[in-house]
Amino acid sequence: MPDTPTAPVILGNEPGSFPRSVLAERHPAIIQQVRDAFPYGPGQHRALDALLKNCTEGTIEPLPLDAPDHDQWAAWGTDTYAGQSWYDVPWLWSESYFYRQLLDAVGYFGPGAWQGIDPFRPAKRAELDAPETDEELAALDELEAKPPEKRANSLLHGSLWGNRADLGFRLSAAGAGSDGGAGAEPAESQAPVPALVADDSELLWSLLPGPGTLCLVADNAGRELIPDLLLLAHLLDQRRIERAVLHIKPHPYYVSDATTADVVDALHRLVGAPGAAAAYGRRLWSAMADGRLTVRAHPFSCAPLPYAEMPADLRAEFAGATLTIVKGDLNYRRLVGDRRWAPTTPFADVTAYFPGPVAALRTLKSDVITGLDASTESALVAAEGQRWRTGGTHALIQVRGVSPAPAV
C-alpha cells in the first residue's frame, strides 16, 4: 500500500480493548467449549490445560520441528515472535496462532484416532440444524416470486448479514440490523444511523455483467455459509457469471470458519429441505458436478497475515477473476490490513495492492474500518460511542473496481 499513510498495527496489549478481551477471555472460553464438545482423553486434556496456561500467562512457543507445517509457520512469524507475549504481537497473528495450537492440542494433525476431527463441528452442526435455519430457508419460497433483480439484492443482503439471513431475505438494507445492539442508548435518544454504513452495491452489480469468474472468499459455516451458496446459485442461474470459485479454509479455523466438510453439510441441508431451498441445492450440486462451481482451500486462507502478502499463485487466481468478494470480519481485517486506520481512509487506497476488482461484504465485529464518509462516522460515534465497531449491528458493502490506467 505504498501511497497510503501508515497506521499502527492492532495489538492485544491495550487494557480494556476489544483485542485484549478476545485473548484474555474469549480464547479461554473457546478452550472450555472444545473440551466439553468431545470425550477427549487425558492426553488432550493435559494439552488443553497447557495451552490455556501458555496463551494467558506465557510466551509464544514455536511449533515442534516435526510438525507438518513447521517451516510454513516459521516463515509466517514464529521465528520472529517466539518468546514474546501473546499480547505484544499483532492481534491477527496471535489469534491465528492460537487456533493452530488448539488444533494441535486435540490431535487434529495426528497421527492418532482424533486426526482430522473438527473440534468445532458440534457447534456448527447445531446451528445448521436449528429451527431458525428452517425459517430462513422457508423464506426462499416467497423470494422466488420476486423479479430476478430483487431476488439478487435480497440474496446479497442475506449473504452480507450472515446469520441474520432471514432479515436479508425479507427486509430492506436500511431495516436490517438497526436495533443498535446490547447496551445501546434508546432509539429516541440516538441520531439516526443506518445499519448499512457504506453501500457500493450498484458498483458491485455493474462488475457482474455476465461472462467471467467470481471468486467468493467465504467466512463462516452453517447459517452464514448457506446464504453465500444461495447467492452463487442465483448468479450462475441468471448467467451473471459463468463460473464461481468458493474459497474456504483447508482446516478448522476461528471456531466457525467454513471448510470443505461444512460446504458438503450445507449442500445436504439445502437438498434435504422442502420447497425452493431444495431447488437451489440441486442447482449447486449440479454446478459442482460440471465445474461451474469449484471449491478452493489454499493454505494461505489460514495464514496470520494480510492479503497484501498473498503468494504468487493466489494473486494470479484473483487477478484472473472478474470480481473477488471477500466475506466477513476476519477476511476484511486481512484485506485492508489489521491496523488502526482512520475510518475515513479510502477503501480503494488500502486495497490498491489487490490484483483485481474486489468487494467486501462485512458485518462489523472488530475495530478496523475504512471507507466511511466523515458524516457517517460522526453520527455513529454520537449515537454509540465506539460500540458500533464491534457490536455486529452495522454492516458494509465496499467495492474497488478496476483502477484507471496511468496516463502515458
Side-chain angles (χ1 to χ4, degrees):
M1 306 172 190
D3 298 326
T4 305
T6 57
V9 172
I10 295 176
L11 307 179
N13 58 8
E14 181 182 338
S17 67
F18 180 69
R20 186 173 183 86
S21 73
V22 169
L23 297 175
E25 301 168 18
R26 183 183 295 179
H27 286 180
I30 289 169
I31 291 174
Q32 188 61 49
Q33 174 188 329
V34 167
R35 190 193 300 272
D36 294 341
F38 286 99
Y40 290 125
Q44 280 113 333
H45 284 284
R46 285 192 296 270
L48 289 170
D49 289 340
L51 176 60
L52 176 61
K53 184 174 180 61
N54 177 254
C55 73
T56 55
E57 304 173 20
T59 59
I60 293 164
E61 300 173 356
L63 297 177
L65 289 174
D66 60 353
D69 51 354
H70 173 275
D71 292 347
Q72 182 69 84
W73 272 95
W76 286 346
T78 51
D79 283 356
T80 301
Y81 299 130
Q84 297 187 48
S85 166
W86 290 76
Y87 297 92
D88 293 338
V89 304
W91 180 44
L92 175 64
W93 197 95
S94 57
E95 272 199 292
S96 297
Y97 197 54
F98 167 79
Y99 287 103
R100 169 58 184 84
Q101 295 288 56
L102 181 61
L103 291 181
D104 199 50
V106 298
Y108 181 87
F109 295 107
W114 292 94
Q115 184 177 24
I117 302 299
D118 184 350
F120 310 122
R121 182 170 172 79
K124 292 176 179 178
R125 285 296 319 184
E127 182 183 274
L128 195 61
D129 295 335
E132 291 85 356
T133 306
D134 292 323
E135 296 172 9
E136 290 160 5
L137 295 180
L140 290 169
D141 294 335
E142 178 183 342
L143 189 64
E144 284 301 283
K146 296 182 179 179
E149 183 176 339
K150 288 190 175 181
R151 260 184 287 153
N153 281 319
S154 292
L155 292 169
L156 178 67
H157 286 281
S159 179
L160 169 67
W161 286 103
N163 62 9
R164 304 185 66 177
D166 56 328
L167 294 178
F169 291 147
R170 293 171 177 163
L171 302 178
S172 69
S178 58
D179 52 274
E185 294 297 322
E188 60 269 18
S189 67
Q190 293 188 19
V193 181
L196 203 56
V197 299
D199 184 6
D200 294 338
S201 53
E202 288 189 13
L203 177 55
L204 186 152
W205 292 126
S206 74
L207 295 172
L208 298 174
T213 296
L214 172 68
C215 288
L216 192 150
V217 182
D219 186 29
N220 292 327
R223 291 170 62 203
E224 298 195 30
L225 179 60
I226 281 182
D228 297 341
L229 291 169
L230 296 173
L231 176 62
L232 293 180
H234 179 80
L235 295 175
L236 287 166
D237 185 59
Q238 296 297 312
R239 302 188 185 279
R240 298 294 297 262
I241 54 175
E242 291 178 328
R243 181 171 176 263
V245 181
L246 180 67
H247 284 254
I248 44 81
K249 303 298 190 296
H251 55 71
Y253 192 57
Y254 277 71
V255 180
S256 57
D257 283 36
T259 65
T260 302
D262 299 316
V263 174
V264 174
D265 285 344
L267 288 175
H268 277 291
R269 184 72 165 88
L270 286 169
V271 171
Y280 275 91
R282 288 191 295 270
R283 290 200 292 270
L284 288 162
W285 202 285
S286 176
M288 291 191 73
D290 63 26
R292 288 177 296 129
L293 171 60
T294 58
V295 176
R296 181 95 154 92
H298 194 286
F300 192 75
S301 294
C302 289
L305 304 172
Y307 274 104
E309 300 182 40
M310 75 180 86
D313 62 331
L314 190 58
R315 173 174 288 273
E317 185 165 343
F318 290 147
T322 305
L323 175 66
T324 297
I325 294 178
V326 174
K327 276 293 310 295
D329 199 76
L330 171 61
N331 285 323
Y332 187 87
R333 291 164 59 193
R334 297 186 69 197
L335 178 66
V336 304
D338 203 28
R339 294 175 175 268
R340 297 193 180 280
W341 299 112
T344 54
T345 303
F347 177 75
D349 288 358
V350 295
T351 58
Y353 72 90
F354 202 84
V358 64
L361 303 185
R362 176 214 181 187
T363 302
L364 277 57
K365 298 178 184 176
S366 66
D367 290 308
V368 65
I369 184 72
T370 68
L372 298 189
D373 61 53
S375 61
T376 298
E377 182 196 2
S378 296
L380 287 164
V381 173
E384 303 173 34
Q386 296 300 322
R387 291 189 299 262
W388 61 272
R389 293 174 179 261
T390 59
T393 56
H394 297 283
L396 57 80
I397 301 172
Q398 291 176 325
V399 180
R400 195 218 73 209
V402 179
S403 298
V408 178

